[in-house]
Amino acid sequence: MDTARTLSTLGALACLLVILVLGVPALVIEAPDHLLTDYYTAGPTGAVGIGFFAAIGVVVFLSGERGRADPPLVAGLSVVLGVALVALAGVWHLSLDETLVYSFPAEYDWIQHHGAVVLALTVLVLGAAAGYAREYV
């Protein structure tokens, strides 16, 4: 089994999952627009920064094993990207005001855990990046 290729693919899939999970509230929740706007813009960069770095992560993870870039360099970049994703998601999650989260209709009470799920997925990205980098040390 090619561990580096597996971890690279896992990292790319985790980044895609971060993007998908970030978009769920916008696609599913029917609430006043200002609630979703306030939710997504909490923190210094909001959820947009997380989504942006996750999209870059897909490209970074796949470029090393597809021969587009030097794999050890990509491995290092993926760790930096993973740390940035965890930091952004952590700050965003901590910036979500309880009043805002509890303002959503009761049928969407799962939104209380959405930020934590996004943070957990970014930790998965970091774990895949760390394992990927370890293959080249």
Side-chain angles (χ1 to χ4, degrees):
M1 179 169 101
D2 186 4
T3 308
R5 183 176 292 279
T6 302
L7 288 169
S8 152
T9 304
L10 175 65
L13 290 174
C15 287
L16 286 173
L17 198 54
V18 167
I19 296 167
L20 179 69
V21 170
L22 269 176
V24 167
L27 297 172
V28 175
I29 293 179
E30 294 179 15
D33 288 341
H34 70 87
L35 284 178
L36 283 171
T37 301
D38 291 346
Y39 182 75
Y40 278 117
T41 59
T45 64
V48 173
I50 301 165
F52 177 73
F53 276 95
I56 290 173
V58 173
V59 175
V60 168
F61 273 108
L62 295 179
S63 65
E65 293 304 311
R66 304 285 191 275
R68 305 275 189 244
D70 183 38
L73 174 66
V74 170
L77 288 173
S78 68
V79 171
V80 172
L81 181 77
V83 169
L85 269 172
V86 170
L88 286 174
V91 169
W92 178 67
H93 178 59
L94 293 174
S95 298
L96 293 172
D97 184 22
E98 283 186 18
T99 307
L100 171 66
V101 172
Y102 289 112
S103 297
F104 286 93
E107 63 195 77
Y108 305 115
D109 62 347
W110 53 265
I111 196 81
Q112 301 165 25
H113 308 290
H114 182 254
V117 171
V118 171
L119 179 58
L121 289 172
T122 62
V123 171
L124 178 63
V125 171
L126 179 57
Y132 183 52
R134 190 162 193 262
E135 291 295 311
Y136 292 102
V137 174

